[in-house]
């Protein structure tokens, strides 16, 4: 903290690599590609480290595509998801030769076909189907139910595949689904898999052959005491069902979530009508998950021998909103000036941060063995005004 200041995100390179390899190695020789979901943490160093060990990437915007390419990865290992790909995004993705588009609607398929036609080439596509299963996770991160905006109703998929198959500008590659995030049970994944395999059979019968199945991301991590998914057992149960079909997975959180912490400093301790508040220098703009999803992040003192006042503390930030908290009612022994680590913050931490209250976004550091490297500078005040203009009169 003396070197980099506070607040700060810190990631472990070894943990990121080991987490990714756990997915990769469980497949052994079965054809597969582990496409890390860039949205979870899109720092260039994270992408570069993963690219070096052979990761593919799940991207959802041209920004993510350019990051992945800049980090040294090959477009041929990228799948492009997301419900509203623009013409410019589709064109760029085709120019650089991405592996596959995960198409989310008939209208989007028509757009991709048109762009491919204008370029005189064929676009590789999978249809993302919505298998209508309950992922049993927080409603904001559940995507596989009928009422969600994602994918095409699985019962409506056959005619869309037929159209893609008949098109001179589309190549049918695969079938995709993603039912939600932070799943802590395998059964919804396997229910979805059974449904997509039925569709694969139906398509085979009309001579449309799928070369890969993309089962999305969603494997949950331990934030507190919850039991979560055994990755190896999950993959073994996939392999039991899929014959020799190539499998793509898009894990984000499970790769980076528990490989990162958010470090923040206690500025003041304060009592208000019997409640104990620790006012910290980190805030909801830096780590949005607690207020947005009522998410729990464990809080640990950075210095294990810290002395101070024992109490049940609410950790609140400097932002002018009652919802600006990172943790509530945590039994800790605190003094002003202490550093605290919010655990499991490597996924959807920095990537969801903002400049709300004109707060510069924090620095990011990667640790590898006993080395530590700054992988994103803390924003300066000047950075906050960049690209803004006053009216001249
Ligand atoms: N593939 C697709 C198509 C996705 O939409 C997502 C996540 C993933 C893969 C990666 O899912 P994961 O393995 O990370 O669960 N901001 C929320 C999570 C949003 C997830 C959005 N989609 C959070 O902080 O919990």
């Amino acid at each position: 903290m003396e070197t980099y200041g506070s607040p700060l995100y810190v990631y472990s390179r070894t943990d990121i690599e080991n987490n990714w390899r756990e997915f990769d190695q469980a497949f052994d020789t079965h054809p597969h590609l582990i496409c890390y979901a860039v949205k979870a943490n899109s720092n260039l160093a994270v992408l570069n480290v993963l690219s070096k060990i052979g990761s593919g990437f799940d991207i959802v915007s041209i920004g993510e595509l350019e990051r992945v390419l800049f980090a040294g990865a090959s477009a041929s290992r990228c799948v492009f998801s997301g419900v509203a790909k623009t013409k410019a995004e589709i064109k760029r993705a085709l120019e650089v030769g991405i592996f596959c588009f995960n198409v989310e609607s008939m209208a989007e398929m028509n757009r991709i076909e048109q762009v491919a036609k204008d370029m005189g080439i064929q676009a590789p596509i999978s249809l993302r189907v919505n298998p209508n299963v309950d992922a049993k996770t927080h409603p904001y991160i559940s995507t596989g139910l009928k009422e969600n905006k994602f994918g095409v109703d699985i019962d409506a998929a056959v005619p869309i595949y037929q159209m893609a198959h008949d098109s001179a500008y589309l190549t049918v590659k695969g079938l995709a689904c993603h039912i939600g995030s932070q799943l802590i049970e395998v059964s919804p994944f396997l229910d979805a898999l059974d449904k997509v395999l039925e569709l694969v059979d139906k398509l085979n019968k009309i001579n449309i052959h799928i070369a890969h199945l993309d089962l999305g991301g969603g494997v949950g991590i331990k934030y507190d005491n919850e039991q979560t998914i055994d990755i190896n057992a999950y993959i073994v149960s996939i392999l039991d069902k899929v014959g020799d079909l190539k499998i793509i997975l898009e894990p984000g959180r499970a790769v980076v979530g528990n490989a990162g912490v958010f470090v923040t400093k206690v500025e003041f301790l304060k009592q208000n009508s019997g409640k104990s508040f620790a006012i910290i220098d980190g805030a909801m703009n830096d780590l949005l998950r607690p207020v947005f999803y009522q998410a729990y992040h464990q809080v640990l003192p950075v210095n294990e021998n810290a002395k101070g006042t024992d109490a049940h503390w609410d950790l609140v930030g400097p932002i002018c909103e009652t919802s600006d908290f990172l943790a509530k009612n945590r039994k800790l022994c605190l003094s002003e000036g202490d550093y605290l680590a919010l655990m499991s913050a490597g996924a959807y931490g920095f990537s969801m941060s903002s400049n709300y209250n004109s707060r510069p976004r924090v620095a990011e550091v990667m640790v590898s063995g006993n080395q530590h490297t700054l992988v994103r500078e803390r924003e300066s005040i000047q950075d906050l005004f960049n690209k803004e203009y006053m009216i001249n009169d």
Side-chain angles (χ1 to χ4, degrees):
M1 267 67 70
E2 284 95 71
T3 317
Y4 301 111
S6 167
L8 184 70
Y9 277 98
V10 184
Y11 312 125
S12 156
R13 174 178 183 168
T14 313
D15 286 350
I16 293 173
E17 289 172 341
N18 288 345
N19 293 340
W20 183 89
R21 286 199 174 107
E22 196 176 348
F23 283 92
D24 190 52
Q25 288 168 356
F27 279 98
D28 200 2
T29 55
H30 188 97
H32 69 280
L33 183 59
I34 308 300
C35 291
Y36 165 68
V38 174
K39 62 169 84 68
N41 185 327
S42 50
N43 184 283
L44 288 177
V46 172
L47 304 179
N48 177 249
V49 157
L50 286 169
S51 164
K52 282 184 184 144
I53 59 171
S55 185
F57 295 92
D58 167 45
I59 55 166
V60 293
S61 68
I62 194 160
E64 289 191 352
L65 173 59
E66 298 299 350
R67 271 182 180 276
V68 165
L69 297 176
F70 191 80
S74 158
S76 64
R77 297 171 83 77
C78 289
V79 291
F80 198 155
S81 308
V83 290
K85 300 168 196 82
T86 64
K87 280 188 176 167
E89 288 178 319
I90 296 164
K91 182 159 184 275
R92 178 70 178 143
L94 286 172
E95 273 165 10
V96 296
I98 62 154
F99 178 68
C100 198
F101 289 101
N102 288 342
V103 180
E104 301 237 7
S105 63
M106 184 76 174
E108 195 186 52
M109 175 112 83
N110 291 334
R111 181 180 282 180
I112 293 174
E113 184 185 35
Q114 188 58 49
V115 176
K117 187 174 177 193
D118 292 345
M119 295 171 73
I121 57 174
Q122 289 192 322
I125 62 118
S126 290
L127 194 61
R128 173 170 174 186
V129 296
N130 186 336
N132 194 23
V133 298
D134 185 355
K136 298 185 195 140
T137 182
H138 190 281
Y140 285 9
I141 51 178
S142 184
T143 51
L145 281 172
K146 267 199 165 120
E147 63 258 32
N148 298 131
K149 70 178 174 182
F150 299 99
V152 170
D153 188 344
I154 193 160
D155 301 320
V158 171
I160 303 179
Y161 267 109
Q162 188 65 59
M163 186 213 117
H165 182 69
D166 295 342
S167 164
Y169 300 101
L170 298 174
T171 311
V172 173
K173 288 267 189 185
L175 173 55
C177 79
H178 168 82
I179 58 172
S181 194
Q182 185 54 19
L183 272 74
I184 56 170
E185 284 174 40
V186 176
S187 57
F189 282 127
L190 298 182
D191 293 347
L193 177 57
D194 287 341
K195 292 194 175 184
V196 294
L197 285 172
E198 274 174 33
L199 178 56
V200 172
D201 277 347
K202 275 192 202 159
L203 293 171
N204 273 332
K205 288 197 182 105
I206 55 168
N207 243 348
I208 299 176
H209 304 295
I210 295 299
H212 73 254
L213 262 190
D214 179 341
L215 299 175
V219 172
I221 62 167
K222 219 175 166 66
Y223 284 100
D224 191 6
N225 296 319
E226 64 270 55
Q227 275 294 320
T228 183
I229 290 172
D230 175 335
I231 291 170
N232 196 62
Y234 166 48
I235 291 172
V236 168
S237 46
I238 295 175
L239 295 183
D240 274 349
K241 290 174 183 274
V242 296
D244 11 304
L245 257 181
K246 174 173 176 167
I247 301 298
I248 294 182
L249 293 182
E250 304 170 353
R253 189 190 316 264
V255 176
V256 288
N258 272 329
V261 300
F262 177 67
V263 181
T264 178
K265 184 170 144 196
V266 177
E267 295 285 356
F268 304 111
L269 297 176
K270 168 169 173 177
Q271 307 277 338
N272 261 2
S273 18
K275 264 197 97 58
S276 304
F277 292 102
I279 301 176
I280 52 178
D281 63 356
M284 63 188 271
N285 73 300
D286 304 313
L287 179 59
L288 187 59
R289 303 194 69 260
V291 24
F292 207 45
Y293 311 109
Q294 299 75 48
Y296 175 93
H297 289 264
Q298 202 188 346
V299 181
L300 296 178
V302 171
N303 175 359
E304 282 172 303
N305 303 318
K307 296 190 182 59
T309 312
D310 248 325
H312 283 84
W313 299 98
D314 281 7
L315 268 52
V316 298
I319 285 186
C320 304
E321 298 231 18
T322 305
S323 64
D324 184 26
F325 63 86
L326 295 192
K328 287 205 163 162
N329 206 25
R330 301 301 173 85
K331 191 174 164 359
L332 290 162
C333 181
L334 295 184
S335 315
E336 290 176 2
D338 282 354
Y339 289 104
L340 298 172
L342 279 102
M343 308 302 288
S344 317
Y348 307 106
F350 188 93
S351 64
M352 292 181 76
S353 68
S354 76
N355 291 119
Y356 188 39
N357 274 215
S358 284
R359 289 169 51 85
R361 280 183 299 168
V362 306
E364 296 174 281
V365 168
M366 189 176 281
V367 176
S368 180
N370 52 15
Q371 311 258 20
H372 43 89
T373 312
L374 183 66
V375 294
R376 191 183 214 273
E377 266 178 53
R378 185 178 303 285
E379 283 177 350
S380 67
I381 297 299
Q382 188 57 48
D383 289 332
L384 293 177
F385 317 148
N386 266 345
K387 301 193 192 304
E388 278 182 47
Y389 305 97
M390 286 181 272
I391 304 282
N392 274 332
D393 66 9

